[in-house]
Amino acid sequence: MVVVIDKKYDKRKVDKMLSSIKPTKIFDAQKFAGKIQWNEDPVAYQKRVRNEWN
């Protein structure tokens, strides 16, 4: 979101405009935490995948 601040606005008006901005949450990672079921040890998987480059 973009707020255009002209020189004609005083400090109270600018503060009001900035306080009206609501942060948007794009991705909620907590919703997916612990959902993947691994068939293999994560460290072993990481070593195996990294060794594919050699």
Side-chain angles (χ1 to χ4, degrees):
M1 174 183 260
V2 176
V3 177
V4 178
I5 302 174
D6 293 328
K7 291 182 179 182
K8 64 182 178 182
Y9 297 126
D10 61 347
K11 184 178 179 339
R12 283 185 283 138
K13 179 71 172 173
V14 171
D15 287 339
K16 185 177 180 183
M17 290 170 64
L18 292 175
S19 67
S20 69
I21 298 174
K22 303 290 184 220
T24 58
K25 197 170 201 181
I26 297 172
F27 180 73
D28 184 17
Q30 285 296 107
K31 186 167 68 171
F32 299 103
K35 300 294 182 186
I36 297 176
Q37 301 298 320
W38 292 97
N39 296 328
E40 168 178 20
D41 180 47
V43 176
Y45 171 79
Q46 183 179 17
K47 287 180 181 179
R48 182 175 55 83
V49 171
R50 287 187 178 178
N51 285 334
E52 289 177 356
W53 292 95
N54 293 334

